Amino acid sequence: MLSNVILVTGGAGFIGSNFVLDWVQGGFGKVINLDALTYAGNLENLAAIENDANHVFVKGDIGDRALVAKLLMEYQPDAILNFAAESHVDRSIHSPGDFIQTNVVGTFHLLEEVRSYWSNLADEEKLKFRFLHVSTDEVYGTLSLTDPAFTENNPYAPNSPYSASKAASDHLVRAYRHTYGLPVLTTNCSNNYGPYHFPEKLIPLCLLNAIAAKPLPIYGDGQQIRDWLYVKDHCSAIRRVLEAGQLGETYNVGGWNEKSNLDVVNILCEILDELKPRTDSASYKTQITFVKDRPGHDRRYAIDATKLGRELGWKPKETFETGIRKTVQWYLENQVWVKNVTSGEYRNWVTKQYT
Ligand code: NAD
Ligand code: TYD
């Protein structure tokens, strides 16, 4: 049984907003959406459900204990889904403190309030309650070309301030199960892409730079490998884990789509060459530019999602080829969203990172 009323944190960000849209528009129930609206949070992502009675947006921080306590008492959610985080590796290299604050300290405060709420529930509600923590494959560290993909049994070996802060939050969630019996679930997903992706990340950045006639910056030699999953498939995996996951378990989520960064950008350019050819008929590939590598850049991530398929019957709908085409089409059709998101703070970031 899927929970009816859920509290989602970070539901105005990339994955959170896709999840909230699917939940509300799919008729799964009501969402209380708690988001601090940092640079990465965008209410325009949620415009389609702005006036829907099943969506209540609350601007606030997961570390604001009084606010979280108030929301839990007022709405009595059956589940909390924690998407809220600082999520960009390059920003974590410039400003790690924000990552410790939200991802570690914020998750701790959230867990404390949830523990207090849960421990006072009646037995039947207690049994039904879930805390689902959304995490990343980056906690497992880096792989060589010949290593097998990450399973849930891989030891944690995070290499960036971002992945270290996510690893710390995963450990706290695990400890709250072990020590207090809190009914937790954790998902560790590979790189997502799709609609509403903030254009600081590789795919939307290169897509928008391509059509703006700007360079497509590839770090180092471009041979780093990531395992790509269409965001809607991540959302369906989270719903499935919420519905049927074993308490205290972690589930790897991935789409078996390993690609080098250079291959990803080349595919992107080929789709753009077809859907929106350059006026001079040259390929967008001519805009590819190799730039200085990211410090401590992880070479390869790959997710083994066998457990989620075997135990919960989940599988992704999209291949990389179908998902990336949908993504390019979405960005071409949503130029107002793009225009609004690429102003102000975004421009400051691009100047700081790429010049
Ligand atoms: P995002 O950066 O697009 O969105 C994060 C959201 O959290 C934003 O809306 C932001 O306003 C909000 N937020 C930040 N700090 C907050 C705070 N203190 N209190 C309340 N809200 C706050 O991130 P995303 O890509 O949507 O990622 C969502 C989650 O999924 C993260 O936990 C991330 O670690 C995880 N994840 C992301 C990917 C990926 O490829 N993007 C892959 C696997 C896991
Ligand atoms: P990113 O989208 O930042 O996700 P993550 O670091 O969480 O995997 O980056 C994906 C890959 O693309 C990563 O190997 C870094 C690389 N990359 C570039 O080559 N150029 C860029 O401008 C960016 C943002 C990323």
Side-chain angles (χ1 to χ4, degrees):
M1 248 285 283
L2 267 174
S3 317
N4 237 333
V5 179
I6 60 172
L7 173 69
V8 166
T9 73
F14 164 47
I15 306 173
S17 63
N18 275 285
F19 183 87
V20 168
L21 287 170
D22 287 358
W23 187 274
V24 173
Q25 294 178 326
F28 292 108
K30 188 177 182 112
V31 179
I32 317 306
N33 185 351
L34 173 64
D35 194 298
L37 294 182
T38 67
Y39 78 91
N42 183 359
L43 283 178
E44 282 185 51
N45 300 3
L46 301 159
I49 53 169
E50 200 179 7
N51 299 314
D52 197 308
N54 276 330
H55 179 230
V56 178
F57 182 79
V58 181
K59 181 176 180 320
D61 197 304
I62 55 168
D64 182 343
R65 299 265 291 257
L67 175 62
V68 171
K70 179 177 159 289
L71 293 177
L72 293 173
M73 286 318 291
E74 188 174 343
Y75 294 102
Q76 306 271 313
D78 307 312
I80 317 291
L81 287 89
N82 187 29
F83 293 83
E86 289 293 337
S87 71
H88 189 36
V89 174
D90 293 320
R91 285 186 194 253
S92 84
I93 295 167
H94 287 282
S95 312
D98 297 342
F99 288 69
I100 303 306
Q101 200 52 44
T102 284
N103 302 359
V104 187
V105 181
T107 302
F108 160 69
H109 286 308
L110 181 67
L111 279 166
E112 276 292 90
E113 283 311 319
V114 171
R115 175 166 78 91
S116 158
Y117 165 74
W118 171 77
S119 57
N120 288 312
L121 289 175
D123 285 350
E124 203 179 315
E125 270 79 50
K126 239 186 188 156
L127 275 180
K128 224 169 67 176
F129 187 81
R130 298 286 181 272
F131 181 94
L132 190 151
H133 181 62
V134 179
S135 193
T136 166
D137 60 357
E138 302 191 25
V139 296
Y140 297 122
T142 188
L143 295 169
S144 74
L145 275 181
T146 50
D147 284 332
F150 301 126
T151 72
E152 291 79 358
N153 297 323
N154 270 69
Y156 275 29
N159 289 321
S160 72
Y162 164 66
S163 54
S165 67
K166 289 298 291 185
S169 67
D170 293 9
H171 288 324
L172 281 172
V173 170
R174 176 192 156 88
Y176 273 63
R177 171 73 187 158
H178 194 77
T179 306
Y180 307 111
L182 196 73
V184 306
L185 297 156
T186 299
T187 54
N188 293 90
C189 188
S190 60
N191 284 60
N192 283 214
Y193 66 98
Y196 305 113
H197 205 180
F198 192 73
E200 64 186 355
K201 305 277 170 79
L202 178 72
I203 289 181
L205 179 90
C206 287
L207 211 168
L208 298 186
N209 277 12
I211 51 186
K214 292 179 180 164
L216 314 182
I218 306 280
Y219 297 161
D221 62 4
Q223 294 309 315
Q224 301 81 10
I225 291 172
R226 297 293 181 265
D227 193 348
W228 295 95
L229 183 70
Y230 191 61
V231 63
K232 298 290 182 190
D233 282 326
H234 187 189
C235 295
S236 75
I238 291 171
R239 287 197 301 276
R240 186 65 193 137
V241 171
L242 182 64
E243 180 177 48
Q246 290 294 310
L247 294 185
E249 289 293 309
T250 66
Y251 294 90
N252 280 357
V253 187
W256 311 97
N257 280 309
E258 281 186 63
K259 298 233 176 297
S260 73
N261 294 337
L262 193 55
D263 283 348
V264 165
V265 176
N266 274 323
I267 294 170
L268 201 60
C269 290
E270 282 160 22
I271 298 175
L272 276 174
D273 287 341
E274 181 195 326
L275 298 182
K276 193 177 169 58
R278 272 175 39 159
T279 45
D280 64 358
S281 317
S283 171
Y284 287 99
K285 287 180 192 176
T286 58
Q287 292 166 228
I288 290 176
T289 312
F290 291 90
V291 300
K292 193 160 81 60
D293 207 352
R294 170 187 282 173
H297 199 171
D298 282 340
R299 198 65 182 167
R300 173 176 168 239
Y301 303 142
I303 273 280
D304 182 339
T306 304
K307 176 177 172 184
L308 184 55
R310 187 185 59 233
E311 294 185 10
L312 305 184
W314 174 86
K315 56 176 192 297
K317 279 202 179 127
E318 306 292 343
T319 62
F320 187 73
E321 285 63 30
T322 60
I324 195 72
R325 184 168 283 271
K326 282 187 182 179
T327 304
V328 174
Q329 275 161 343
W330 187 88
Y331 278 85
L332 294 178
E333 285 161 11
N334 285 275
Q335 285 297 306
V336 175
W337 182 91
V338 166
K339 186 168 166 284
N340 291 342
V341 97
T342 48
S343 61
E345 201 281 339
Y346 176 72
R347 289 209 190 124
N348 299 339
W349 164 253
V350 170
T351 309
K352 186 169 166 185
Q353 175 70 0
Y354 296 99
T355 53

